[in-house]
């Protein structure tokens, strides 16, 4: 097996079988065992695709469908209010935020 001494650990895709075949890895380990993901310095900065023209409509539609079907684990409520990255308005839940983002995108059209 691989001891990871000669290359970094990286998140893998959903296709775990392909990853294991290509790398010779034989076991899987949770990233939380090596990195404290709750510390800000360990955060991964990612673009919010809900704001993009390419993916925003799909993200909002899928989220809305999940909300209607009751598939949201906690109802989408935030632990503390979050602000819109465009206008700094604050929201208590993800659904309100996504509906707000949609208005920004409609204003651009």
């Amino acid at each position: 097996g691989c001891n990871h001494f000669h290359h970094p650990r990286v998140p893998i895709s959903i296709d775990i079988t392909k990853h294991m075949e290509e790398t010779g890895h034989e076991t899987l380990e949770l990233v939380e065992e090596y990195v404290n993901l709750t510390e800000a310095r360990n955060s991964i900065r990612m673009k919010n695709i809900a704001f993009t023209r390419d993916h925003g409509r799909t993200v909002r539609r899928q989220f809305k469908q999940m909300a209607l079907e009751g598939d949201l684990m906690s109802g989408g409520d935030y632990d503390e209010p979050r602000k819109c990255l465009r206008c700094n308005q604050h929201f208590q839940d993800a659904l309100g935020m996504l509906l707000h983002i949609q208005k920004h995108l409609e204003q651009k059209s």
Side-chain angles (χ1 to χ4, degrees), residues 2 7 12 15 24 26 28 35 40 46-47 49 53-54 58 73-74 76 79 89 91 96 107-109:
C2 177
H7 67 84
I12 58 174
D15 192 351
E26 298 174 353
L28 300 175
V35 177
M46 298 180 72
K47 182 176 183 178
I49 63 171
R53 288 198 184 278
D54 292 340
T58 301
M73 293 176 68
S74 65
D79 291 336
Q89 183 175 341
F91 295 89
Q107 291 172 354
K108 282 186 170 184
S109 300

Side-chain angles (χ1 to χ4, degrees), residues 9-95:
R9 293 176 183 259
V10 296
I12 58 174
S13 69
I14 296 298
D15 192 351
I16 295 169
T17 303
K18 180 179 176 187
H19 173 82
M20 293 177 101
E21 288 173 353
E22 290 176 352
T23 62
H25 292 167
E26 298 174 353
T27 61
L28 300 175
E29 298 168 334
L30 296 174
V31 69
E32 290 90 353
E33 294 176 15
Y34 300 94
V35 177
N36 182 346
L37 296 176
T38 59
E39 291 183 20
R41 64 184 172 87
N42 294 328
S43 296
I44 299 171
R45 302 285 300 166
M46 298 180 72
K47 182 176 183 178
N48 184 345
I49 63 171
F51 278 108
T52 66
R53 288 198 184 278
D54 292 340
H55 304 291
R57 181 174 289 168
T58 301
V59 169
R60 292 187 306 275
R61 187 179 307 127
Q62 289 177 355
F63 185 89
K64 190 175 188 179
Q65 189 64 39
M66 288 173 58
L68 292 172
E69 293 174 0
D71 287 343
L72 298 176
M73 293 176 68
S74 65
D77 293 339
Y78 297 137
D79 291 336
E80 54 188 58
R82 295 184 185 180
K83 67 179 181 176
C84 171
L85 300 176
R86 296 274 165 94
C87 70
N88 294 326
Q89 183 175 341
H90 287 79
F91 295 89
Q92 297 288 338
D93 60 71
L95 183 57

Side-chain angles (χ1 to χ4, degrees), residues 2-8:
C2 177
N3 61 16
H4 295 287
F5 290 133
H6 304 292
H7 67 84

